[in-house]
Amino acid sequence: MAQSQFFHAKISGIHTVVPKDEIRLEDELQYFNGDIKKANRMTKIVGMDCRRVSQPGITPSDLSRQAAEILFSNMKIERTSIDAIIFLTQRPDHILPATACILQKKLGLSQHCAAFDVNQGCSGYVYGLWLAFSLVESRAASRVLLLVGDGMCQTLDRDNRVVTPVFGDAGSATIVEYSEIERRSWFSLGSDGGGAESLMIPAGGYRLPLPKNVEDYAAYCEYLHDPNGTPWRLTNIFMDGGAIFDFTVNTVPPHIIETLAWAGMNAEDIDWFVPHQANKQIMSMIAEAAGFSQQKTIMGAFSKFGNTAAASIPTALCDAWQEIEFSKKQRLMLCGFGVGLAWASAIMDTDHIVCTGVSDFDPPADTMTQQEYLAYWQNKITGKKTPPPPKEEL
């Protein structure tokens, strides 16, 4: 297990942006036989109530870009002071180039700024912080912009009630920088690729690329039904819920306890425990098994925004920013776990983090719909100057 301790890296600011559109369980009563009581029961047990969903054409990078713009304004940061930009997501804008390079231009960062993407899921925010803290602690960079966003809602099948009601979209921006004053932090990370197939999109990469002809492509998009009758597509996310639950129960609480012991602490030494917002049931179970009280566990974001995957921890932090009181010294423990399978925890001493909560996404003027972007590339390749289709309201 990778374990690292840092002394001069800190989070100085954080912000999260979510789409305006929301879907509530009562909007989908057809999946509960029209019974509002069944929907309310699901809300009570699992915490599912509402999720935020992006409009077509809006990507995690768009949400994260706006989060960064708000954070720059709140912190009055000079953009030329950013030495590196990391974009961590499971949904990049393109297979290549790295979306971080595109964001470097859109955010007006210096050409001396390093830019790269990281493909990671529900443990991703802690993995991203680990990378950013490493760069800062080594003095390879003095200030790093960590953008973490995910957005699976546009591709999910609404008839699949295993994953669709759970996931939401969000994008976040975090500033990590060097601290002359000692600020201690402890990171512990692990992985088990033996469970990778428990949470996977089988087709679309280079192991199972999408075919070039329409006839073969249709086979990749057809519904496959599991023994419970749940529809899945090879081009969409597949989740073995039982296997993921077993992994969570058997791996995550011992990992948290081990991390605390390595740092010479126990649960009482932590001011706030912030787990990945998987669902209410899982978060409560992990907190109890690791010795954290419900009062010191941040887990309200799931019911408001859904499971935002890699962005769930920054979304939870920003949603609870007034409760946590970021203007004061705090000791936080963050824990992410899921796709990979991978897990990661961080304990950090914080002080005066700039945070103003969660904002709704407001599309900037240069936002293109998917139709407009398609037309743009058709014209770019063919050299034609045909006008793009009328702009749709986002």
Side-chain angles (χ1 to χ4, degrees):
M1 188 173 296
Q3 293 181 326
S4 306
Q5 186 172 3
F6 303 109
F7 298 90
H8 291 281
K10 67 173 183 177
I11 294 176
S12 57
I14 181 172
H15 197 81
T16 295
V17 167
V18 296
K20 291 181 181 179
D21 292 350
E22 66 178 25
I23 299 176
R24 307 184 71 89
L25 284 188
E26 54 260 38
D27 299 326
E28 302 178 313
L29 289 182
Q30 67 269 32
Y31 299 109
F32 298 92
N33 296 320
D35 191 341
I36 187 65
K37 290 183 179 180
K38 289 184 179 179
N40 290 338
R41 193 178 304 121
M42 181 66 73
T43 298
K44 183 177 181 180
I45 296 172
V46 186
M48 286 190 299
D49 184 23
C50 175
R51 62 189 187 274
R52 296 294 185 97
V53 179
S54 296
Q55 288 285 328
I58 301 303
T59 70
S61 77
D62 294 323
L63 302 177
S64 299
R65 171 191 173 187
Q66 190 164 103
E69 293 284 6
I70 293 171
L71 192 57
F72 288 162
S73 177
N74 289 342
M75 297 182 66
K76 297 178 172 55
I77 283 181
E78 290 291 337
R79 297 172 192 245
T80 54
S81 70
I82 303 296
D83 298 314
I85 175 173
I86 303 171
F87 182 50
L88 192 146
T89 187
Q90 298 172 106
R91 299 283 180 171
D93 285 8
H94 305 279
I95 293 177
L96 61 87
T99 307
C101 294
I102 299 172
L103 286 165
Q104 174 272 330
K105 174 63 176 178
K106 288 184 175 181
L107 288 170
L109 305 184
S110 165
Q111 291 186 1
H112 297 290
C113 176
F116 61 96
D117 285 3
V118 176
N119 179 355
Q120 188 55 278
C122 302
S123 61
Y125 186 65
V126 181
Y127 266 80
L129 287 177
W130 179 61
L131 289 170
F133 274 51
S134 298
L135 289 171
V136 168
E137 185 80 14
S138 68
R139 301 311 301 266
S142 294
R143 180 174 280 164
V144 176
L145 174 62
L146 172 64
L147 302 181
V148 179
D150 253 322
M152 292 183 278
C153 292
Q154 293 181 34
T155 63
L156 296 175
D157 297 308
R158 294 193 64 170
D159 289 337
N160 184 312
R161 305 314 292 173
V162 174
V163 293
T164 301
V166 175
F167 290 104
D169 300 342
S172 69
T174 303
I175 295 290
V176 175
E177 60 186 10
Y178 189 83
S179 173
E180 296 291 347
I181 300 173
E182 182 176 298
R183 301 193 189 281
R184 302 175 70 189
S185 57
W186 300 258
F187 284 75
S188 180
L189 305 91
S191 62
D192 177 13
E197 292 182 359
S198 300
L199 194 54
M200 177 179 283
I201 298 177
Y206 289 103
R207 180 64 62 190
L208 190 60
L210 298 179
K212 297 178 181 179
N213 59 74
V214 176
E215 294 78 9
D216 291 339
Y217 182 81
Y220 283 67
C221 296
E222 68 178 353
Y223 281 120
L224 303 172
H225 292 83
D226 65 21
N228 295 318
T230 303
W232 304 92
R233 299 177 195 242
L234 293 177
T235 53
N236 212 331
I237 189 170
F238 168 77
M239 183 172 73
D240 183 340
I244 294 298
F245 184 82
D246 289 344
F247 153 70
T248 302
V249 171
N250 296 326
T251 302
V252 179
H255 158 70
I256 295 171
I257 294 170
E258 179 182 344
T259 303
L260 286 166
W262 170 64
M265 302 178 196
N266 53 45
E268 288 72 28
D269 297 315
I270 305 298
D271 293 312
W272 296 101
F273 174 54
V274 189
H276 162 55
Q277 306 288 291
N279 65 48
K280 179 182 176 182
Q281 187 179 36
I282 287 177
M283 287 186 286
S284 297
M285 178 202 67
I286 289 174
E288 181 179 0
F292 291 101
S293 68
Q294 299 292 309
Q295 293 74 22
K296 289 295 185 180
T297 302
I298 301 298
M299 52 183 179
F302 175 76
S303 65
K304 300 175 185 178
F305 310 111
N307 178 341
T308 54
S312 82
I313 291 178
T315 301
L317 287 168
C318 292
D319 179 58
W321 70 286
Q322 291 177 313
E323 180 181 4
I324 295 175
E325 295 183 293
F326 278 129
S327 61
K328 298 180 179 180
K329 292 183 178 181
Q330 303 283 2
R331 177 167 286 172
L332 308 178
M333 184 169 194
L334 317 178
C335 180
F337 48 89
V339 63
L341 298 170
W343 55 93
S345 288
I347 301 169
M348 58 185 65
D349 293 331
T350 68
D351 189 13
H352 297 291
I353 294 178
V354 175
C355 181
T356 54
V358 178
S359 300
D360 288 343
F361 179 67
D362 185 17
D366 61 357
T367 301
M368 291 188 189
T369 65
Q370 288 179 330
Q371 283 184 321
E372 288 173 331
Y373 198 54
L374 174 62
Y376 168 81
W377 272 99
Q378 288 172 332
N379 295 339
K380 183 178 180 67
I381 291 174
T382 62
K384 296 179 180 179
K385 300 298 181 181
T386 54
K391 189 173 182 65
E392 297 178 358
E393 185 177 351
L394 293 171

